[in-house]
C-alpha cells in the first residue's frame, strides 16, 4: 500500500508533486533525507495525515515542513503534550505539524499536517539515520521502505494506523522521484547493485575507488522497496569513523551539550568459519490466514517442503498452522525419519489459507510452553505474509523466551 498525504476528513488524496531522497552511506551506517512536495488544490484549508514506513533499525533525527515559504522546524516533546499543543494550534486556525511514532510498532510514523491553506503547496522533509545490514559475503545492504502493508489487528487490540489509509490504495497522479546516494567505504568499492531497480553507478577512482555516486537509471515503481547492495574489497577489515561535534546553537548549550563532542565509531565485522550444524529441534509455524490466499499459501507450501527435505537426520520437528485458531501436526516434536517426514510433506502439499485472521500470539505461546528436547536446541521458523498491528506483543513474547528458543 504506497501511502501518500490524505485529507483526514474524507480520505481524499492530496496530489504528490515530487519526492527527493538523498542518502549518505558511510561504512555500515546511512543518513537519509527525504523531501516530499504536495499541493492542496481544494478551495478550503484541510487537515491531512501522512503515514510512512521506516526500517525497524532506523531513528528519525530531523523533521521540518514548509508552507507557502514559511518553514516550521520540529521540537521534541512528550507524546501527549505534543498532541495537545498540535490540537490547540489547529483549533486556533494556525498551521501546525505533528510527527509521531506509532504505538503499535516502531517502524511506522505518522505526520499530521494541520490547516494546509487552499491553493498552497507543502514541503515535508524527514531525516533518518540507520545502521545497515551486512550479508554473509560482506555486502552492506541499504533498504528504503516505500510500501506500507495493511496490518491485521487481532480482536481486543487497537486498530492499526495503517487502516486509517485503507481507502488510499496508491497515488494516482504522476510525480517525480529523484534518488541520489553517496557512498564512502573503508576500502575500494568493487560492486554496487540492486535487486529492485536498475542503477547508474559512478565509482570515483581519484579517491582510490572508496567513494561512489549512485542514481536510478529507471523510474522507481512504488510497489516494492528500493534496495542497494554495496561490496568492498576488504569487507571484513575493522575500521573507525570519526565525526566532529556540532557547534552549539546558543550560549546556554555550550560545553554541556553532548552533541558538541566528537564521536568515534569502531566497526568490527569478523569472518567466522563454517561450523557443522548440530542436531536440533525445528518448529515451523505457518500462516494459514485468509490473507495468504493465492501466491502466499503456494509459496508457504514450497518453502515448507524445502525446509522439511533439508533437515538433518535424527533431529526433532513439528509443524503448526495458524489463523484465528491453530492446528499442530504432532502433539509434540517428533524425531525426523521416513514416516514422520512423509506425514509432514503430505500436510504441506495440501495446506490451504482457511483458518481466518492472522493471530500469531497463541501458536507461539503454545510452542514456548512445550518441554525442550534434551540436547536439541530449539529453533522456530515463522512463515507469514506478516502484517499485524500487535507487533510489540509478539516481539516481547519472543524476547521473554530468547534463552530457550531462537
Amino acid at each position: 500500500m504506497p501511502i501518500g498525504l490524505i485529507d483526514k476528513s474524507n480520505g481524499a488524496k492530496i496530489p504528490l508533486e515530487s519526492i527527493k531522497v538523498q542518502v549518505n552511506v558511510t561504512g555500515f551506517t546511512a543518513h537519509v533525507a527525504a523531501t516530499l512536495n504536495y499541493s492542496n488544490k481544494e478551495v478550503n484549508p484541510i487537515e491531512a495525515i501522512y503515514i510512512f514506513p521506516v526500517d525497524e533499525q532506523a531513528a528519525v533525527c530531523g523533521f521540518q515542513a514548509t508552507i507557502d515559504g514559511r518553514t516550521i522546524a520540529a521540537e521534541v516533546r512528550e507524546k501527549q503534550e505534543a498532541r495537545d499543543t498540535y490540537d490547540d494550534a489547529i483549533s486556533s486556525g494556525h498551521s501546525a505539524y505533528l510527527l509521531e511514532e506509532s504505538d503499535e510498532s516502531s517502524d511506522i510514523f505518522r505526520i499530521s499536517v494541520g490547516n494546509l491553506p487552499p491553493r498552497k503547496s507543502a514541503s515535508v522533509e524527514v531525516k533518518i539515520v540507520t545502521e545497515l545490514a551486512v550479508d554473509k559475503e560482506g555486502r552492506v545492504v541499504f533498504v528504503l521502505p516505500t510500501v506500507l502493508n495493511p496490518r491485521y489487528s487481532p480482536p481486543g487490540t487497537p486498530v492499526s494506523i495503517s487502516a486509517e489509509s485503507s481507502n488510499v490504495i496508491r497515488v494516482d497522479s504522476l510525480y517525480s522521484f529523484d534518488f541520489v546516494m553517496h557512498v564512502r567505504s573503508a576500502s575500494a568499492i568493487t560492486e554496487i547493485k540492486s535487486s529492485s531497480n536498475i542503477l547508474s553507478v559512478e565509482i570515483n577512482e581519484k579517491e582510490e575507488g572508496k567513494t561512489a555516486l549512485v542514481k536510478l537509471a529507471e523510474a522507481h515503481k512504488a510497489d516494492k522497496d528500493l534496495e542497494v547492495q554495496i561490496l568492498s574489497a576488504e569487507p571484513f577489515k575493522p575500521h573507525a569513523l570519526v565525526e566532529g561535534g556540532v557547534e552549539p546553537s546558543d550560549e546556554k548549550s555550550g560545553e554541556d551539550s553532548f552533541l558538541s563532542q566528537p564521536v568515534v565509531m569502531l566497526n568490527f565485522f569478523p569472518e567466522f568459519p563454517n561450523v557443522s550444524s548440530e542436531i536440533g529441534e525445528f518448529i515451523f509455524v505457518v500462516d494459514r490466514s485468509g490473507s495468504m490466499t493465492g501466491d502466499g499459501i503456494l509459496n508457504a507450501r514450497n518453502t515448507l517442503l524445502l525446509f522439511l527435505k533439508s533437515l538433518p537426520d535424527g533431529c526433532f520437528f513439528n509443524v503448526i498452522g495458524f489463523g484465528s485458531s491453530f492446528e499442530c501436526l504432532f502433539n509434540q516434536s517428533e524425531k525426523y525419519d521416513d514416516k514422520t517426514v512423509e506425514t509432514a510433506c503430505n500436510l504441506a502439499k495440501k495446506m490451504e489459507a482457511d483458518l481466518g485472521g492472522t493471530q500469531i500470539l497463541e501458536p507461539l505461546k503454545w510452542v514456548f510452553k512445550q518441554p525442550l528436547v534434551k540436547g536439541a536446541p530449539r529453533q522456530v521458523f515463522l512463515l507469514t505474509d506478516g502484517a499485524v498491528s500487535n507487533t510489540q506483543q509478539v516481539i516481547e513474547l519472543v524476547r521473554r523466551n530468547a534463552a530457550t528458543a531462537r
Side-chain angles (χ1 to χ4, degrees):
M1 183 185 293
I3 300 301
L5 200 66
I6 66 175
D7 187 336
K8 190 174 181 180
S9 63
N10 58 19
K13 291 182 280 286
I14 296 170
L16 171 65
E17 296 178 342
S18 66
I19 298 177
K20 183 175 182 180
V21 179
Q22 177 147 340
V23 183
N24 288 297
V25 173
T26 305
F28 302 148
T29 63
H31 181 276
V32 184
T35 304
L36 302 97
N37 295 302
Y38 293 92
S39 178
N40 176 18
K41 299 186 182 299
E42 302 297 323
V43 296
N44 297 308
I46 60 173
E47 182 180 5
I49 62 170
Y50 174 63
I51 299 171
F52 64 101
V54 298
D55 186 88
E56 62 183 355
Q57 300 295 330
V60 175
C61 63
F63 170 61
Q64 68 178 34
T66 302
I67 297 179
D68 196 25
R70 179 169 176 257
T71 299
I72 303 173
E75 194 176 273
V76 179
R77 296 190 182 182
E78 188 274 328
K79 181 171 282 189
Q80 190 56 52
E81 179 190 355
R83 290 172 177 169
D84 292 342
T85 302
Y86 172 81
D87 290 339
D88 290 344
I90 298 308
S91 61
S92 300
H94 300 300
S95 295
Y97 288 72
L98 176 66
L99 170 69
E100 57 185 329
E101 179 183 295
S102 164
D103 292 329
E104 73 195 44
S105 181
S106 60
D107 64 348
I108 301 178
F109 279 76
R110 171 173 54 190
I111 298 173
S112 299
V113 182
N115 291 334
L116 179 58
R119 310 297 184 186
K120 298 294 184 181
S121 296
S123 175
V124 176
E125 183 183 61
V126 181
K127 293 182 179 180
I128 298 168
V129 289
T130 184
E131 183 179 358
L132 301 179
V134 184
D135 68 16
K136 61 182 180 180
E137 282 81 29
R139 287 185 178 86
V140 176
V141 182
F142 169 82
V143 177
L144 178 69
T146 61
V147 177
L148 175 62
N149 293 315
R151 304 192 175 191
Y152 175 82
S153 299
T157 62
V159 176
S160 168
I161 67 168
S162 60
E164 291 185 25
S165 48
S166 58
N167 295 325
V168 184
I169 303 304
R170 60 182 65 250
V171 178
D172 294 327
S173 58
L174 294 176
Y175 61 91
S176 62
F177 184 93
D178 184 27
F179 177 86
V180 178
M181 172 185 282
H182 296 273
V183 181
R184 179 174 293 276
S185 176
S187 59
I189 299 167
T190 58
E191 180 185 53
I192 297 180
K193 65 178 185 178
S194 172
S195 60
S196 60
N197 298 79
I198 299 174
L199 303 177
S200 169
V201 179
E202 297 178 19
I203 298 178
N204 189 346
E205 300 300 336
K206 293 182 179 180
E207 297 190 33
E208 301 178 325
K210 295 181 180 180
T211 63
L213 177 65
V214 182
K215 297 181 179 180
L216 296 184
E218 61 173 358
H220 176 65
K221 297 178 181 179
D223 58 355
K224 56 186 174 183
D225 295 340
L226 194 161
E227 179 184 289
V228 179
Q229 302 173 7
I230 305 161
L231 181 65
S232 60
E234 298 178 285
F236 304 106
K237 183 179 180 180
H239 63 276
L241 302 173
V242 181
E243 182 170 331
V246 178
E247 291 293 331
S249 57
D250 54 63
E251 294 181 1
K252 292 182 179 179
S253 57
E255 298 179 358
D256 295 332
S257 172
F258 74 93
L259 292 176
S260 65
Q261 305 300 317
V263 177
V264 178
M265 173 188 283
L266 299 177
N267 294 274
F268 300 97
F269 185 45
E271 184 177 12
F272 294 104
N274 291 327
V275 293
S276 59
S277 59
E278 57 184 326
I279 292 176
E281 180 191 18
F282 303 90
I283 300 177
F284 302 98
V285 183
V286 185
D287 188 349
R288 288 176 48 186
S289 65
S291 65
M292 294 284 286
T293 301
D295 289 342
I297 197 66
L298 292 176
N299 290 335
R301 288 178 191 166
N302 293 333
T303 303
L304 180 58
L305 284 168
L306 178 63
F307 278 140
L308 291 171
K309 294 178 179 181
S310 304
L311 294 178
D313 290 335
C315 73
F316 294 80
F317 78 105
N318 203 351
V319 180
I320 295 96
F322 75 92
S324 299
S325 58
F326 64 93
E327 300 174 356
C328 305
L329 177 61
F330 306 119
N331 292 329
Q332 60 184 21
S333 294
E334 295 284 347
K335 195 167 186 178
Y336 184 89
D337 57 29
D338 291 342
K339 182 179 179 180
T340 55
V341 75
E342 181 182 2
T343 301
C345 287
N346 288 337
L347 170 69
K349 291 174 183 176
K350 61 183 182 181
M351 281 193 313
E352 297 293 344
D354 55 2
L355 292 182
T358 315
Q359 298 187 31
I360 298 177
L361 271 178
E362 293 308 313
L364 288 180
K365 287 179 180 178
W366 184 87
V367 167
F368 293 134
K369 287 180 181 178
Q370 301 309 300
L372 296 170
V373 180
K374 187 176 181 180
R378 174 173 292 168
Q379 298 189 58
V380 181
F381 294 79
L382 178 63
L383 295 129
T384 177
D385 60 355
V388 295
S389 65
N390 61 335
T391 309
Q392 295 301 332
Q393 286 181 289
V394 176
I395 292 173
E396 182 56 33
L397 175 65
V398 174
R399 180 183 290 117
R400 291 199 305 268
N401 291 276
T404 57
R406 180 184 178 191

